[in-house]
């Protein structure tokens, strides 16, 4: 079977003309249906689908449309009008443009045509006029749209009404193209079946088969009385048709719409994608074969090889009829929709650009406040440090914003959707708390729980709708023309909120991962929902709990582990994301001093190798006694119980090197208030061979007595560890402080190293004497 275009390629200025020319195309597919859809396969019946839906316009009507235009358009033609429910007039619209550059194609159709089909016709550029009355009017009824179109076609030479109901070019197209293709593809065809609408397809193919192969049994299919399938007609409406369809058929079958839609859906699911009239044709064929089988005459239809080869027409595609499938067929034919409740919520668009990583969100929402380098370190290895540097503004790597380090951009708003309790515990600077009723502790992601997503979306959509709540319009006015950031625990509720706000025309962004995920850029934020860090931010002694101390302990050990230690700290937590670089500042005896900037604050670190003659117990007692004797102290025992050990107030701070050199008035204990927390780390904990004791110091919100104003604060960590094999102890220390302006920051930086060295020497001297006493005892 040769064709003028075996490779199915169309090119050149007339490419589309050739594309729509059946003589320049390979024959349309003739496909045997699968055995599971053929109930007569064991009876020797083989059934083939002639896929007219594979035509360029995807429907059987495009061949009559082509033939009618080729035989009807004149040089004067400017407008084409046709009464058609879809396929014919759509094909006319496309082909009129392709072949003749005619733009004005008008569709007359029933007002009972589905909205989907009407939209499809408008999609193809058709001008639509609706008519009342029967959906399939009598062709000669003067009240119907068929006659109205014919009258317009006769009224002016510029208007062509092809009139598929009477135009001989309609069946002529199938005599010219479809019939010959079927016979060439299946020379031993025994049965042919198709529907009767305009009767053009049946008249054309049936007439050709009767002439070329009279043995073929032709089955015409009509809609059952009172029923309707798009395209074909009931038998009573065929009487007035002009075409000689009766001479082209041998029998008629009447088919209802449920079987038509069901069979076309089954064909489509098995790969032969087709509309309801295709299932209609197949059902008519099935009914005919079933009757012959019951009569015992089925074998009479067989060819010389003993098989009965049948062909039916697949007319078009199912997509324009989808809503009708669900109307005609029960729910049992379709899988239920999981999470159907989501079909009416969360309908706004999402965009990856609206979900920002933490660092990107902070850079977008905040501006950093200037800070100054204390000048506490250099790269010298000498005994004394070059500490007389002048202050110099610096910018550190982006950290989590704090009140002292960042402020919101002037046009920015940050909404915190967490609970009031979580917000009060800790929140980003400048954030406004907007707790949601749908948020509860321990909730999963709303994207994993449909009912929760529905609940949250409905609440957010109500809040951000102008008339949703009494305060919604005011809220939206405040957010309009502002840069809105949104944060929650895990980032997902904020993501929903950004989608809702963007739909309302507000520039809104969520922070990916939420506050729970901030550890991705700052691991020292603890896993405990209570975010407490090693900054100089004071803590409340009333709300301090075991989780807070565990939090600070983890951070402290992580920071100490970054010091240049001869051997690593046993099982220390992961270091901070921005690992501080410690610079050598001073060396004196067994003590080495270092400096760095961490969390935007200047830190000093100290490593002291303790002689083997000093026992761990003595050193620990010295640390514990020294701290608890002067300030508020809290001891955290290994079982995580908190206990206030002592509280002793000193009227005067000990005279220090700083005061002697700089003649600064002495501080009182009330002016330099601290919370001191100690914890024993038992033998073997975290891979440690010996014991360890940690002392943590944080500024406190504890009220002071007298007139003293808290003018200085510091955060520190002291750590003593028993080394293995009797090698003595290791004593580590790190501190950051701020005199609150009572001492210039650069002066403080000059004085602190000396003070820290002196403290270390004093403790070692005391511990040496105590060890000697114990040894002599």
């Amino acid at each position: 079977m040769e064709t003028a275009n075996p490779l199915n390629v169309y090119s050149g200025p007339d490419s589309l003309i050739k594309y729509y020319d059946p003589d320049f195309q390979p024959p349309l597919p003739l496909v045997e249906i699968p055995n599971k859809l053929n109930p007569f396969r064991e009876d020797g019946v083989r059934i083939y689908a002639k896929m007219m839906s594979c035509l360029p316009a995807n429907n059987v009507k495009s061949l009559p449309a082509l033939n009618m235009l080729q035989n009807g358009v004149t040089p004067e033609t400017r407008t084409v009008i046709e009464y058609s429910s879809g396929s014919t007039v759509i094909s006319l619209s496309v082909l009129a443009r392709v072949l003749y550059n005619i733009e004005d194609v008008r569709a007359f159709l029933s007002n009972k045509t589905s909205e989907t089909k009407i939209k499809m016709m408008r999609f193809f550029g058709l001008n639509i006029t609706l008519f009342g009355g029967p959906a399939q009017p009598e062709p000669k009824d003067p009240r119907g749209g068929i006659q109205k179109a014919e009258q317009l076609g006769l009224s002016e030479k510029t208007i062509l009404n092809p009139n598929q109901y009477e135009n001989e070019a309609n069946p002529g197209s199938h005599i010219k193209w479809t019939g010959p293709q079927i016979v060439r593809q299946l020379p031993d065809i025994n049965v042919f079946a198709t529907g009767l609408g305009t009767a053009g397809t049946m008249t054309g193919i049936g007439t050709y088969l009767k002439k070329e192969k009279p043995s073929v049994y032709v089955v015409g299919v009509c809609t059952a009385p009172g029923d309707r399938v798009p395209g074909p007609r009931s038998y009573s409406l065929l009487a007035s048709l002009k075409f000689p369809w009766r001479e082209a058929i041998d029998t008629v079958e009447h088919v209802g719409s449920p079987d038509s839609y069901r069979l076309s859906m089954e064909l489509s699911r098995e790969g032969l994608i087709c509309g309801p009239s295709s299932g209609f044709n197949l059902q008519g064929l099935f009914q005919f074969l079933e009757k012959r089988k019951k009569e015992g005459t089925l074998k009479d239809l067989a060819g010389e090889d003993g098989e009965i080869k049948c062909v039916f027409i697949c007319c078009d595609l199912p997509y324009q009829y989808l809503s009708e499938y669900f109307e005609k067929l029960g729910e049992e034919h379709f899988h239920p929709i999981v999470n159907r409740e989501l079909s009416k919520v969360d309908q706004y668009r999402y965009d990856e650009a609206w979900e920002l990583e933490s660092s990107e969100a902070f850079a977008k929402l905040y501006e950093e406040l200037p800070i100054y380098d204390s000048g506490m370190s250099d790269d010298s290895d000498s005994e004394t440090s070059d500490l007389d540097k002048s202050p110099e503004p610096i910018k550190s790597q982006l950290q989590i914003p704090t009140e002292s380090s960042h402020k919101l951009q002037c046009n920015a708003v940050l909404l915190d959707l967490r609970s009031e309790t979580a917000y009060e515990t800790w929140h980003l600077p400048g954030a406004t708390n907007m707790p949601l009723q749908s948020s509860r502790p321990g909730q999963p992601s709303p994207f994993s729980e449909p009912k929760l997503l529905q609940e949250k979306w409905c609440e957010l959509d109500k809040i951000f709708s102008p008339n949703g709540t009494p305060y919604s319009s005011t809220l939206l006015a405040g957010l309009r023309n502002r840069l809105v950031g949104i944060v929650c625990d895990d980032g997902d509720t904020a993501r929903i909120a950004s989608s809702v706000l963007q739909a309302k025309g507000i520039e809104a962004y969520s922070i990916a991962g939420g506050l729970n995920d901030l550890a991705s850029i700052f691991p020292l934020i603890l896993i405990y929902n209570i975010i407490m860090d090693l900054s100089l931010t004071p803590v409340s002694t009333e709300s301090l709990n075991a989780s807070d101390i565990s939090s600070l302990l983890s951070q402290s050990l992580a920071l100490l582990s970054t010091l240049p230690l001869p051997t690593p700290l046993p099982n220390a937590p992961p270091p901070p994301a921005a690992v501080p670089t410690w610079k050598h500042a001073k060396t004196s005896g067994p003590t080495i001093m270092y400096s760095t900037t961490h969390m935007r604050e200047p830190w000093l670190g100290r490593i002291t190798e303790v002689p083997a003659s000093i026992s761990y117990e003595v050193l620990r007692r010295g640390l514990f006694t020294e701290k608890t004797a002067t300030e508020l102290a809290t001891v955290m025992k290994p079982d995580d119980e908190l206990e206030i050990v002592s509280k002793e107030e000193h009227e005067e701070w000990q005279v220090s090197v700083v005061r002697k050199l700089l003649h600064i008035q002495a501080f009182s204990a009330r002016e330099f208030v601290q919370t001191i927390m100690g914890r024993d780390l038992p033998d073997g904990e975290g891979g440690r061979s010996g014991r360890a004791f940690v002392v943590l110091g944080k500024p406190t919100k504890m009220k002071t007595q007298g007139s003293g104003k808290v003018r200085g604060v510091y955060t520190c960590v002291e750590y003593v560890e028993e080394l293995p094999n009797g090698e003595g102890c290791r004593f580590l220390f790190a501190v950051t402080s701020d005199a609150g302006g009572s001492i210039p920051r650069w002066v403080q930086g000059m004085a602190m190293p000396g003070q820290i060295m002196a403290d270390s020497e004093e403790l070692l001297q005391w511990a040496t004497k105590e060890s000697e006493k114990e040894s002599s005892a």
Side-chain angles (χ1 to χ4, degrees):
M1 189 185 307
E2 295 185 0
T3 178
N5 183 23
L7 296 181
N8 212 14
V9 176
Y10 309 86
S11 56
D14 60 346
S15 59
L16 284 173
I17 295 175
K18 290 186 288 187
Y19 177 53
Y20 280 91
D21 183 357
D23 293 326
F24 200 74
Q25 298 172 345
L28 297 172
L30 186 69
V31 185
E32 184 171 8
I33 69 172
N35 290 344
K36 64 188 297 184
L37 294 183
N38 181 359
F40 303 98
R41 186 65 187 92
E42 294 184 0
D43 298 305
V45 176
R46 302 180 67 174
I47 300 174
Y48 295 82
K50 180 61 174 174
M51 303 301 294
M52 305 302 288
S53 54
C54 291
L55 282 161
N58 299 125
N59 68 79
V60 67
K61 297 290 190 175
S62 61
L63 290 184
L66 173 63
N67 208 31
M68 289 188 295
L69 288 174
Q70 288 177 341
N71 288 276
V73 173
T74 67
E76 291 83 12
T77 304
R78 298 290 180 270
T79 301
V80 176
I81 297 178
E82 182 71 5
Y83 187 93
S84 166
S85 61
S87 294
T88 300
V89 77
I90 288 173
S91 298
L92 286 169
S93 176
V94 172
L95 288 164
R97 284 184 177 87
V98 169
L99 300 178
Y100 304 104
N101 200 29
I102 296 174
E103 297 286 336
D104 186 14
V105 181
R106 304 177 188 180
F108 287 6
L109 65 149
S110 167
N111 62 344
K112 299 165 183 62
T113 305
S114 70
E115 186 65 24
T116 303
K117 292 182 75 173
I118 290 175
K119 287 180 178 178
M120 187 174 69
M121 285 187 277
R122 297 180 69 192
F123 172 84
F124 282 102
L126 285 155
N127 296 309
I128 296 174
T129 301
L130 299 179
F131 287 84
Q136 294 175 318
E138 291 284 350
K140 292 300 182 181
D141 186 345
R143 298 166 297 179
I146 296 175
Q147 277 300 297
K148 292 290 190 347
E150 183 177 354
Q151 291 167 13
L152 282 173
L154 295 173
S155 66
E156 296 183 35
K157 291 183 179 180
T158 59
I159 298 177
L160 170 66
N161 170 226
N163 194 353
Q164 60 179 321
Y165 299 93
E166 297 184 0
N167 195 326
E168 293 294 340
N170 179 351
S173 64
H174 297 292
I175 293 173
K176 183 177 181 181
W177 291 305
T178 315
Q181 276 194 18
I182 292 174
V183 172
R184 289 202 307 270
Q185 290 173 312
L186 194 66
D188 49 353
I189 177 175
N190 305 113
V191 180
F192 174 75
T194 195
L196 292 159
T198 66
T201 304
M202 175 54 81
T203 300
I205 299 175
T207 299
Y208 181 84
L209 291 175
K210 291 297 182 185
K211 178 181 178 182
E212 298 297 324
K213 195 171 178 57
S215 61
V216 175
Y217 206 95
V218 179
V219 181
V221 189
C222 299
T223 52
D227 207 342
R228 180 178 175 273
V229 176
R233 291 172 167 244
S234 64
Y235 190 83
S236 62
L237 293 177
L238 296 174
S240 59
L241 294 180
K242 179 181 177 181
F243 305 135
W245 55 272
R246 293 178 180 83
E247 289 79 7
I249 66 172
D250 296 298
T251 188
V252 173
E253 291 294 334
H254 303 269
V255 172
S257 56
D259 287 330
S260 305
Y261 282 87
R262 176 184 55 79
L263 267 180
S264 70
M265 184 177 68
E266 292 177 2
L267 286 166
S268 296
R269 289 178 176 179
E270 295 300 323
L272 294 171
I273 301 173
C274 57
S277 59
S278 308
F280 174 84
N281 296 337
L282 180 57
Q283 178 63 26
L285 176 61
F286 282 170
Q287 290 177 190
F288 166 72
L289 295 173
E290 181 64 28
K291 288 178 181 177
R292 295 295 293 257
K293 184 176 180 179
K294 287 181 178 179
E295 294 170 357
T297 60
L298 184 59
K299 290 296 183 180
D300 296 344
L301 300 171
E304 294 180 359
D305 59 2
E307 292 187 324
I308 304 167
K309 296 181 176 66
C310 307
V311 174
F312 72 99
I313 298 294
C314 280
C315 305
D316 59 3
L317 298 174
Y319 308 117
Q320 59 184 305
Y321 312 103
L322 287 181
S323 60
E324 298 172 32
Y325 281 89
F326 289 87
E327 294 171 5
K328 298 288 184 179
L329 303 177
E331 281 295 320
E332 65 272 13
H333 291 279
F334 307 95
H335 289 294
I337 298 175
V338 180
N339 302 333
R340 187 161 200 144
E341 62 269 25
L342 297 185
S343 63
K344 296 183 179 179
V345 301
D346 194 32
Q347 295 297 300
Y348 303 138
R349 186 168 72 91
Y350 286 84
D351 194 312
E352 291 182 0
W354 303 341
E355 188 175 25
L356 305 179
E357 293 300 324
S358 302
S359 55
E360 185 182 1
F362 296 156
K364 196 176 190 75
L365 295 168
Y366 287 96
E367 59 179 281
E368 293 188 68
L369 299 173
I371 60 172
Y372 291 89
D373 188 354
S374 64
M376 286 197 291
S377 66
D378 62 15
D379 293 324
S380 170
D381 289 330
S382 61
E383 285 279 315
T384 59
S385 167
D386 181 14
L387 298 172
D388 56 353
K389 297 178 181 177
S390 22
E392 200 177 299
I394 64 169
K395 277 196 177 279
S396 67
Q397 178 176 343
L398 181 65
Q399 301 274 354
I400 292 179
T402 64
E403 297 289 349
S404 62
S405 66
H406 292 76
K407 70 174 183 178
L408 281 173
Q409 302 278 0
C410 61
N411 70 325
V413 176
L414 180 61
L415 301 179
D416 190 329
L417 306 183
R418 299 177 302 150
S419 68
E420 186 176 350
T421 301
Y423 174 85
E424 289 295 335
T425 301
W426 182 85
H427 58 266
L428 288 167
T432 300
N433 191 210
M434 197 183 81
L436 301 179
Q437 294 181 355
S438 56
S439 293
R440 293 171 286 277
Q443 280 182 332
S445 165
F447 295 108
S448 64
E449 290 291 339
K451 292 189 182 303
L452 182 59
L453 174 57
Q454 180 183 23
E455 185 181 5
K456 285 184 179 291
W457 186 89
C458 288
E459 182 178 2
L460 287 165
D461 191 55
K462 182 177 181 180
I463 290 172
F464 295 127
S465 294
N467 300 317
T469 69
Y471 62 83
S472 291
S473 59
T474 304
L475 174 62
L476 289 172
L479 299 179
R480 193 79 60 190
N481 301 319
R482 304 287 291 274
L483 176 65
V484 181
I486 314 170
V487 69
C488 64
D489 287 315
D490 61 5
D492 287 343
T493 301
R495 184 184 180 210
I496 300 169
S498 67
S499 169
V500 172
L501 280 173
Q502 289 279 0
K504 312 294 182 182
I506 292 173
E507 185 181 3
Y509 302 88
S510 64
I511 298 179
L515 297 185
N516 293 347
D517 202 39
L518 288 183
S520 64
I521 65 164
F522 194 13
L524 294 184
I525 288 189
L526 292 186
I527 42 192
Y528 288 105
N529 289 332
I530 295 182
I531 301 179
M532 184 176 295
D533 55 36
L534 292 177
S535 69
L536 293 170
T537 304
V539 300
S540 170
T541 55
E542 296 176 356
S543 61
L544 195 66
N545 57 39
S547 296
D548 296 332
I549 296 181
S550 294
S551 166
L552 289 170
L553 175 65
S554 176
Q555 297 177 60
S556 301
L557 295 178
L559 178 62
L560 290 177
S561 71
T562 65
L563 284 165
L565 303 171
T567 56
L569 218 59
N571 202 33
V579 178
T581 301
W582 294 94
K583 298 180 181 179
H584 178 265
K586 189 178 181 68
T587 299
S588 178
T591 300
I592 306 174
M593 184 75 65
Y594 298 92
S595 67
T596 191
T597 298
H598 177 54
M599 294 179 64
R600 304 177 59 84
E601 297 289 347
W603 281 77
L604 289 173
R606 185 186 71 198
I607 302 175
T608 301
E609 295 298 332
V610 181
S613 59
I614 297 178
S615 68
Y616 168 80
E617 290 84 355
V618 169
L619 197 59
R620 180 202 178 281
R621 188 168 72 246
L623 277 180
F624 183 75
T625 304
E626 176 193 4
K627 294 298 178 184
T628 58
T630 58
E631 302 174 52
L632 179 68
T634 303
V635 171
M636 185 175 180
K637 298 179 179 180
D639 58 3
D640 285 351
E641 292 181 359
L642 293 179
E643 179 182 348
I644 300 297
V645 177
S646 67
K647 178 180 179 182
E648 180 177 345
E649 297 179 353
H650 282 194
E651 291 298 325
E652 295 293 330
W653 194 259
Q654 291 183 346
V655 177
S656 66
V657 175
V658 176
R659 198 178 75 197
K660 283 182 178 179
L661 292 177
L662 301 176
H663 308 287
I664 296 175
Q665 183 180 2
F667 298 126
S668 75
R670 297 186 187 91
E671 295 175 322
F672 215 121
V673 180
Q674 292 294 114
T675 293
I676 302 299
M677 298 161 279
R679 181 177 181 181
D680 284 297
L681 304 179
D683 298 11
E685 181 177 303
R688 189 178 292 101
S689 59
R691 295 164 291 175
F693 181 66
V694 181
V695 177
L696 307 174
K698 277 281 289 182
T700 182
K701 293 180 181 178
M702 181 183 70
K703 294 180 179 179
T704 60
Q705 299 177 0
S707 60
K709 176 183 178 182
V710 178
R711 294 185 297 174
V713 292
Y714 66 86
T715 294
C716 69
V717 53
E718 292 190 82
Y719 173 88
V720 59
E721 177 189 11
E722 184 179 31
L723 296 175
N725 304 320
E727 296 177 4
C729 300
R730 177 160 58 185
F731 182 27
L732 308 178
F733 177 73
V735 64
T736 184
S737 63
D738 185 0
S742 60
I743 304 176
R745 193 69 177 265
W746 66 273
V747 174
Q748 180 183 345
M750 292 174 59
M752 283 292 288
Q755 179 64 51
I756 293 171
M757 285 290 193
D759 288 347
S760 175
E761 291 172 0
E762 288 176 7
L763 182 61
L764 287 181
Q765 290 172 4
W766 175 88
T768 299
K769 292 178 181 179
E770 289 296 306
S771 295
E772 290 173 352
K773 289 179 184 179
E774 289 187 358
S775 179
S776 61

